[in-house]
Every structure is written in structure tokens, then in C-alpha cells.
Amino acid sequence: MGFKCGIIGLPNVGKSTIFNGLTAKGAPSENYPFCTIDPNIGIVEVNDPRLWEISKYVKTKKIVPAVVEFVDIAGLVKGASRGEGLGNKFLGHIRETHALAHVVRCFEDSHVTHVEGGIDPLRDIETVDTELIFADNETVERTLQRVRKQAKGPASKEIQATIAMLESLVKHLQGLQAARKFPLSEYAQVESPTALAYRDMHLLTAKKVLYVCNVEERLADGEHDNALTRQVKDKAAKEASGVVVISGKIEEELSRLEGSERTEMLEALGMKESGLDRLAREGYNVLGLMNYFTAGEKEIRAWTIHKGTKAPEAAGVIHSDFEKGFICAEVYSVDDLKKAGNKNQLRDMGLLRIEGKDYVVRDGDVMEFRFNV
């Protein structure tokens, strides 16, 4: 399934520069607001060394990594929810994503202007959050009006429960609290009509957030902080959000290199991995995602699923028929494959397991599904 991540933030914080570095897409990144008008989209392969480890033992024609789709959304400004800047056009693009990578500027540079006149990442985060909350409040109020009309006359318990949830959610948002902090479980059980009504609104602030601190080159390895990144990390910890430190400028330079040149630059900078790898990994953590693999002569491929997914649902990611006709799955781990040396030996050594419908897939499982349609 992969995941779709919207890159948001104020103008001139480095969103497009980071996007360019992550995707080698070459989006405009000049020093003026609204440089990005229509969203740029880039499909990025997720670096998972286990794929190449499997290929040492399973002969195959190609290797297919999992992917992340990054959407570079134009910079929000104060009043975006009321149409300022490019307003609601941006907000519509955000609704279509699974998670938000919120880029905040954590570096000083007199040559790059800031729309607010000074560097303050917490203020910038609040500005963007407030606009998204205002937009969500409008969405909830419109939904509440529609549900109240449905309740004229004898209202079902489900509609009454939905109205109570929506009224409480409006108060929550008007208190400038993001929807992700709303205690939905107090008003609705999972998959109840009320919970589905909440989900169907696709609220902007209900999405998981990953803060991306754009820093100067000396902090490119992501293992050190300045005073500004520490502020963002403290905020992220309090709200259980993810955070990653990246130098947009370095990532853009790395994107122009391949092979040994790229490796040499990473080593010269003291970087164990690129910012993309850290961002993708943290994005997986934020969304509770993981990969399992299929491996054969045709291809070795990574498939992205949610943690806790059972075998039939995992099979359905490949094709709906696999889930409908699921019988069982042959499962082994990459470590077991390394011990055995090949798949035939896995069976001889008793390391090839047969799992049924209740099996919860583990991160890194290599699976072959048996099904009947």
C-alpha cells in the first residue's frame, strides 16, 4: 500500500528544497512565497536492506522496494482557512494524504527571508496548526448542521450519538485543539456509525504529524541538535508526534549523486544514512506501518501493511482474490533464510512455517500465499 505524505509548512522554510532532495524531482525552490502553487508529487523508494539480503539466496529478475509518495503542498499563511494566500486549494491537497510532514525552519540565514520576520519554529507550527484547526471547525459545523436536519422528527440513537460527538468536537476545535487530540473513544465504539461519521470528514488535524526540522549543513547527520530543534523535539514528545532532523540543502546535493560518489559524500559528512531513509523510517513509525516480503524468480518485493495485520489482509494488499480465497501462508524470516542458505533447506530444517487466517504478520516476514478463488 505504501503511504502518501503531504509536506506542509509556512513559505520559505525549505519544503521544496527538502522535496527536491528526497525525490530528485527538481521542483522550484526560489526565495519567495508561493513558489509552489500546484502540488509537486514524487514517488520515492524506501531503502530496506533486507530486500538485497533476500536476493543473495533467492535468484530473481528484479527487486521492487516499497514506496512513499511525497506531495509538496504550497506554503500556508495566516488566513489560509479564509482563503488567504492560495487558501482552500492547499487544504484540499492536504485532505488526500495519510500523514503530514510539517517542515519547520531551524536555521538562521540572512539571505533567506522568513514571512514572519524571524526564526521561531514553535510560532510557525502554531500558525499552520491554527489554520488547519479553523478549516476543520468549518467542516465539522457543516456536518453538524446536516446531521441535525436528519434528526428532525424521531431521531435514532445513532444520530443522537453522532450529534453529541460533533457538538463536543466543535468545542474541542474552538479551543484550538487539534482533532487528533479529541477523545473519540468516549463518544463512539470502533466502526460504529458515529466513528464512521468522524472518519468520513477526513479532518486535517486528525492526521498523524511528523515534524521535519530543516537545519544547517553541520547538523545534516540528524544526530545533533541546536536550540531550535530541541524546542521542536520537546513539543513532538508531548504530543506523541514524530520528528526528524534534516538539512534540505545537503539532501538536495545528495540527490544529484549516485553510487560511489553518493557514498563518499555521506561518509565525508559522517552520515550513516540519508535524510530520506530517516524520514521514511520515522514516517513508518508514526503511521504504525511495516513491510513483509514476497520472493520468487520473477521478483522480490516489499509490501507495506499496518502493524497487527493478519495474514488474509496482508494477502489482500497484493490482490483482493488472495484475501477472499485465502487458505494459508508459507512463512519464514530473513534470518532463517540466511541460516538455511536456500528455500529448500528451510523446509528440511523445519524453518518454513505454515500459518493460517489468525496469524499476525511480523515485520520482515517472507510469505507465499495459498488461495482458492
Side-chain angles (χ1 to χ4, degrees):
M1 56 174 274
F3 70 92
K4 189 173 184 178
C5 185
I7 301 179
I8 65 169
L10 292 176
N12 283 8
V13 296
K15 292 188 296 73
S16 293
T17 300
I18 286 176
F19 178 85
N20 290 343
L22 296 175
T23 67
K25 191 77 173 179
S29 55
E30 277 71 11
N31 178 25
Y32 57 89
F34 307 123
C35 179
T36 304
I37 298 176
D38 294 319
N40 295 296
I41 298 175
I43 306 295
V44 180
E45 294 181 348
V46 177
N47 180 28
D48 193 328
R50 295 174 297 185
L51 282 166
W52 282 266
E53 195 67 32
I54 295 170
S55 70
K56 294 177 182 178
Y57 306 96
V58 179
K59 292 183 179 180
T60 192
K61 293 180 180 179
K62 63 178 180 179
I63 296 175
V64 185
V67 298
V68 178
E69 182 175 339
F70 286 105
V71 184
D72 180 24
I73 299 167
L76 292 166
V77 295
K78 286 183 179 178
S81 60
R82 302 186 302 277
E84 295 293 331
L86 296 181
N88 292 327
K89 184 176 181 181
F90 296 171
L91 301 179
H93 296 315
I94 298 173
R95 291 188 195 281
E96 299 170 3
T97 63
H98 299 125
L100 302 177
H102 188 161
V103 179
V104 287
R105 181 170 165 179
C106 293
F107 67 91
E108 299 280 355
D109 187 339
S110 60
H111 296 98
V112 181
T113 59
H114 191 290
V115 291
E116 295 290 346
I119 310 303
D120 185 342
L122 297 186
R123 176 206 58 208
D124 294 352
I125 290 171
E126 183 179 358
T127 296
V128 172
D129 283 352
T130 298
E131 294 306 321
L132 299 183
I133 289 170
F134 285 165
D136 278 348
N137 185 64
E138 291 184 13
T139 298
V140 177
E141 287 187 330
R142 286 196 302 269
T143 303
L144 180 57
Q145 290 176 5
R146 186 178 71 251
V147 175
R148 279 174 173 163
K149 288 180 181 179
Q150 296 174 4
K152 288 183 177 179
S156 68
K157 290 184 179 179
E158 289 82 3
I159 290 180
Q160 292 174 352
T162 300
I163 290 174
M165 180 273 292
L166 292 170
E167 288 176 341
S168 181
L169 181 54
V170 167
K171 293 179 182 178
H172 177 87
L173 292 168
Q174 289 180 348
L176 296 183
Q177 295 293 309
R180 71 184 71 92
K181 299 179 182 178
F182 180 68
L184 179 62
S185 60
E186 295 181 9
Y187 298 89
Q189 296 179 345
V190 176
E191 297 302 317
S192 68
T194 299
L196 294 177
Y198 176 90
R199 187 187 68 189
D200 289 346
M201 289 186 290
H202 301 289
L203 298 176
L204 305 172
T205 62
K207 299 180 185 297
K208 296 284 187 178
V209 174
L210 168 61
Y211 294 111
V212 181
C213 298
N214 189 14
V215 297
E216 61 268 33
E217 292 91 320
R218 67 182 182 85
L219 299 178
D221 62 3
E223 297 183 5
H224 302 87
D225 291 298
N226 59 26
L228 300 174
T229 61
R230 282 192 286 272
Q231 291 177 26
V232 178
K233 285 186 174 182
D234 287 345
K235 177 177 176 58
K238 290 176 183 176
E239 59 186 49
S241 293
V243 62
V244 63
V245 176
I246 286 179
S247 169
K249 186 174 181 180
I250 292 297
E251 292 301 320
E252 195 168 30
E253 291 178 14
L254 281 169
S255 71
R256 302 190 185 106
L257 303 176
E258 294 182 359
S260 60
E261 288 185 338
R262 179 180 171 85
T263 301
E264 287 173 7
M265 182 173 177
L266 285 170
E267 290 176 350
L269 292 167
M271 295 173 64
K272 299 175 183 176
E273 58 184 348
S274 71
L276 166 61
D277 294 338
R278 296 198 303 274
L279 179 55
R281 185 174 61 251
E282 191 60 32
Y284 266 57
N285 289 335
V286 166
L287 287 174
L289 302 175
M290 67 181 193
N291 287 336
Y292 78 88
F293 310 104
T294 52
E297 293 182 6
K298 187 177 180 180
E299 67 178 25
I300 298 172
R301 181 186 288 260
W303 302 91
T304 303
I305 58 174
H306 284 97
K307 294 176 181 176
T309 297
K310 292 186 177 181
E313 299 171 75
V317 173
I318 300 175
H319 195 286
S320 58
D321 286 348
F322 284 28
E323 181 174 4
K324 292 175 184 176
F326 179 89
I327 298 173
C328 65
E330 289 188 350
V331 185
Y332 58 92
S333 71
V334 178
D335 286 341
D336 286 342
L337 181 60
K338 290 164 66 176
K339 290 177 187 176
N342 61 60
K343 188 173 178 180
N344 290 332
Q345 281 293 106
L346 278 167
R347 188 174 280 107
D348 295 342
M349 295 173 65
L351 297 174
L352 187 64
R353 311 189 313 273
I354 302 298
E355 302 289 358
K357 294 182 178 180
D358 292 329
Y359 177 68
V360 177
V361 180
R362 300 171 187 168
D363 184 37
D365 276 348
V366 186
M367 308 184 75
E368 183 175 331
F369 298 104
R370 297 178 186 174
F371 65 99
N372 180 29
V373 177

